[in-house]
Amino acid sequence: MPIGPLTMLAIYLVCWWIVLFAILPLGMNQQAQERPEDGGQWGAPREPKLKKKFITTTWVSAIVWAVIMLVVLTGAIPLPTMIGNAAG
């Protein structure tokens, strides 16, 4: 196996964060907003639906991670070997 389980986990976490930032703006609309009276921000959504977005992020990032692992494990993109290639 060219990469270990800890590296696979790290790749999944990076995929998860990138997909999260891609999914967060989905479903948000800019309607005429009234002045917030509870101390909230003007641009804050009324219903962010974060639980749904986290679940969506998890399965989409699992698909992205599986594609990356497939590409790496099939050798379509060869990884350099770190052991035994010392210069000198």
Side-chain angles (χ1 to χ4, degrees), residues 4 10-11 16 21 24 34 40 42 48-51 55 61 66 68 70-71 76 80 87:
I11 292 170
W16 195 90
F21 287 121
L24 275 177
E34 300 135 13
W42 281 92
K49 302 175 185 171
L50 290 178
K51 184 177 180 180
I55 292 170
S61 60
I68 292 171
L70 183 68
V71 167

Side-chain angles (χ1 to χ4, degrees), residues 4-82:
L6 192 59
T7 304
M8 288 181 181
L9 177 65
I11 292 170
Y12 178 78
L13 291 175
V14 170
C15 288
W16 195 90
W17 278 104
I18 292 171
V19 170
L20 174 66
F21 287 121
I23 290 196
L24 275 177
L26 297 179
M28 297 292 110
N29 54 6
Q30 294 293 329
Q31 299 176 354
Q33 296 181 353
E34 300 135 13
R35 183 174 185 82
E37 297 179 9
D38 61 352
Q41 294 292 319
W42 281 92
R46 290 189 183 162
E47 297 177 26
K49 302 175 185 171
L50 290 178
K51 184 177 180 180
K52 180 180 178 183
K53 289 183 180 187
F54 285 169
I55 292 170
T56 304
T57 299
T58 301
W59 68 264
V60 170
S61 60
I63 293 170
V64 171
W65 177 81
V67 169
I68 292 171
M69 290 298 106
L70 183 68
V71 167
V72 169
L73 295 176
T74 58
I77 298 178
L79 296 177
T81 304
M82 301 299 273

